[in-house]
């Protein structure tokens, strides 16, 4: 029994907190591909940046629709954009389940 406790104690000293890789630029598209959302991570001075592209049917390509800063300092862990251009971001990079667990951005920001 002493050996079990000794092993548990020894193994507990090598426990580490979760480790996150740095956030990278990520893209998400709406279900019907009407919009594409690109999220660029924050740089320490500025929050993460969202760039929304809207599909132009007449030109058959995407054009920048709007660009704005997110409330996330580094980046959201995941994002969703609807066919109406409404954006949802989930969690903060490095801080899941805290201040910005779910944020909604309307079409006009």
């Amino acid at each position: 029994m002493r050996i079990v406790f000794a092993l548990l104690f020894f193994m507990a000293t090598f426990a580490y907190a979760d480790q996150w890789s740095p956030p990278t630029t990520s893209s998400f598209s709406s279900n019907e591909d009407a919009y594409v959302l690109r999220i660029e991570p924050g740089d320490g001075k500025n929050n993460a940046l969202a760039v929304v592209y809207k599909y132009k049917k007449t030109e058959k390509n995407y054009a920048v629709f709007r660009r704005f800063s997110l409330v996330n300092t580094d980046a959201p862990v995941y994002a969703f954009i609807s066919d109406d251009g409404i954006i949802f971001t989930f969690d903060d990079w490095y801080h899941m389940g805290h201040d910005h667990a779910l944020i909604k951005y309307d079409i006009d920001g």
Side-chain angles (χ1 to χ4, degrees), residues 20 26 28 72 75-79 89-97:
W20 288 73
S26 54
F28 307 91
N72 308 84
V77 174
Y78 185 77
T89 62
F90 302 91
D91 288 316
D92 260 329
W93 204 265
Y94 305 117
H95 306 287
M96 288 183 68

Side-chain angles (χ1 to χ4, degrees), residues 20-81:
W20 288 73
S21 59
T24 58
T25 299
S26 54
S27 297
F28 307 91
S29 61
S30 64
N31 198 30
E32 299 289 324
D33 293 328
Y35 293 95
V36 172
L37 168 65
R38 189 179 83 210
I39 297 177
E40 299 171 7
D43 60 8
K45 295 179 183 176
N46 301 305
N47 284 4
L49 178 69
V51 182
V52 180
Y53 298 88
K54 186 175 182 178
Y55 187 71
K56 303 280 188 175
K57 291 180 184 178
T58 57
E59 300 168 18
K60 296 186 179 179
N61 66 8
Y62 288 91
V64 174
F65 177 67
R66 66 183 172 139
R67 176 185 309 256
F68 60 96
S69 292
L70 300 174
V71 297
N72 308 84
T73 54
D74 295 297
V77 174
Y78 185 77
F80 170 83
I81 185 164

